[in-house]
Amino acid sequence: MPEGPSLIYLREKLSPYTGKKVTAAGGYTDMPTAWLKNKKLLEIKTWGKHLLLRFATGTVRIHLMLFGSVLINKRKKVNASFYLHFGKDELNFYVVKAQKLAQPLDEIYDWRTDIMSKIYDSKHVRKLLKSHGDEMIGDILLNQEVFTGVGNIIRNEILFRSKLHPLTLIKNVPSAVLTILLKETKKYGKQFLQEKKAGTFGQHWEVYERKECPRDTSAIKKEITGKTKRKTYYCPHCQEKYR
DNA sequence: GTGAATGTTAACAG
DNA sequence: CCTGTTAACATTCA
């Protein structure tokens, strides 16, 4: 479920509950839940892969990690790690991490790096990249402080679409290529969201889980690259490694 | 039945 | 202390 665009979609599905009052809250999460009773859900926000449920006295931050899921007015057989009831309606969160945030969200989060944010600022991201010159582009794309909301699928797809090799050092990425990458990040994020909504997600991957490069039919490589312990899919033929 | 996966981090080893 | 590895997560899919 979770990369930045999935969270936007989730927020949309939960939006009817903004302004509604919580009648019960619980779950096996470590987070205390008693404080939520009779509180009105004021706002739902996201920061990358964080779902933020804001109440007057604090915010619930939910992370779906790899296995998380959310059901509205439905239940699984297993217990929810967190749930909220709004009268007859219920939101059930499974295998999620929930945490209470006390501070105002603007003090915690920099919205400029969130690829799905209205105020996403690619110039700012470019500036952040300067201090990571000796790291590899494939690694930095999963750094949530820099590319907030990018996950492994987005990472692989935008590297391919930018014809950029994951092992390229950030300082060696030509400025024009970086511009393309930043543009593709935003663009593919939008496409990801549209496909989620349309139910066609996964049908248009160009490199992720593909065997063959759609540009030149050469073999796609699948291996752990860089420091991040995640599988990288790339075309060694058309994704250039700049030195 | 097995292994891998859209993620993160605490715990541990060296 | 710093750095890297591993396990864990009331999972789910091919």
Side-chain angles (χ1 to χ4, degrees), chain A residues 82-236:
Chain A
F82 177 63
Y83 64 80
L84 289 174
H85 291 181
F86 297 89
K88 284 184 180 166
D89 281 18
E90 58 183 45
L91 307 182
N92 295 309
F93 298 83
Y94 297 93
V95 207
V96 302
K97 287 224 161 79
Q99 192 183 337
K100 181 182 179 179
L101 305 176
Q103 307 104 295
L105 298 180
D106 288 343
E107 287 177 15
I108 304 173
Y109 293 114
D110 187 341
W111 312 97
R112 292 175 298 176
T113 55
D114 183 347
I115 64 159
M116 300 306 288
S117 166
K118 277 183 185 140
I119 63 162
Y120 171 74
D121 183 349
S122 60
K123 275 187 200 144
H124 181 246
V125 172
R126 194 184 268 266
K127 209 176 292 169
L128 288 180
L129 286 172
K130 288 235 163 96
S131 57
H132 295 272
D134 290 323
E135 291 175 45
M136 287 169 278
I137 193 71
D139 283 337
I140 202 75
L141 280 166
L142 288 177
N143 182 332
Q144 298 300 297
E145 296 294 315
V146 182
F147 284 97
T148 310
V150 170
N152 205 28
I153 297 174
I154 297 179
R155 170 174 86 111
N156 283 285
E157 287 296 317
I158 62 182
L159 283 171
F160 179 80
R161 286 155 207 243
S162 311
K163 300 184 182 176
L164 182 55
H165 194 290
L167 292 178
T168 307
L169 294 183
I170 293 164
K171 64 184 178 193
N172 295 337
V173 178
S175 179
V177 176
L178 190 54
T179 302
I180 292 168
L181 180 73
L182 290 165
K183 203 177 281 179
E184 287 297 331
T185 307
K186 182 91 188 159
K187 196 171 141 196
Y188 185 67
K190 276 190 184 155
Q191 186 185 330
F192 187 129
L193 176 59
Q194 293 313 313
E195 290 177 9
K196 273 278 167 189
K197 289 183 181 179
T200 59
F201 183 66
Q203 294 172 19
H204 307 286
W205 291 332
E206 294 180 11
V207 70
Y208 186 76
E209 289 189 346
R210 296 284 300 246
K211 296 259 190 294
E212 195 175 88
C213 175
R215 284 199 278 260
D216 59 22
T217 72
S218 65
I220 297 290
K221 277 211 172 186
K222 175 193 180 183
E223 60 190 21
I224 305 242
T225 58
K227 292 190 172 172
T228 332
K229 301 276 177 292
R230 304 298 295 277
K231 289 275 161 52
T232 309
Y233 294 80
Y234 66 100
C235 172

Side-chain angles (χ1 to χ4, degrees), chain A residues 11-123:
Chain A
R11 179 183 66 184
E12 227 168 81
K13 288 187 281 193
L14 300 182
S15 67
Y17 297 96
T18 50
K20 299 273 167 64
K21 197 202 279 181
V22 172
T23 51
Y28 65 77
T29 172
D30 293 336
M31 178 185 74
T33 52
W35 64 280
L36 289 161
K37 192 163 184 189
N38 295 323
K39 293 289 185 313
K40 197 190 276 185
L41 173 57
L42 298 177
E43 190 183 17
I44 306 176
K45 302 190 81 162
T46 63
W47 182 78
K49 302 163 191 171
H50 297 194
L51 179 71
L52 303 163
L53 309 175
R54 192 168 67 79
F55 298 86
T57 51
T59 298
V60 178
R61 184 190 93 179
I62 291 169
H63 201 302
L64 280 69
M65 305 302 283
L66 198 50
F67 306 141
S69 60
V70 183
L71 290 180
I72 303 173
N73 295 326
K74 275 186 221 148
R75 287 189 191 183
K76 295 194 182 191
K77 289 195 179 132
V78 293
N79 294 318
S81 42
F82 177 63
Y83 64 80
L84 289 174
H85 291 181
F86 297 89
K88 284 184 180 166
D89 281 18
E90 58 183 45
L91 307 182
N92 295 309
F93 298 83
Y94 297 93
V95 207
V96 302
K97 287 224 161 79
Q99 192 183 337
K100 181 182 179 179
L101 305 176
Q103 307 104 295
L105 298 180
D106 288 343
E107 287 177 15
I108 304 173
Y109 293 114
D110 187 341
W111 312 97
R112 292 175 298 176
T113 55
D114 183 347
I115 64 159
M116 300 306 288
S117 166
K118 277 183 185 140
I119 63 162
Y120 171 74
D121 183 349
S122 60
K123 275 187 200 144

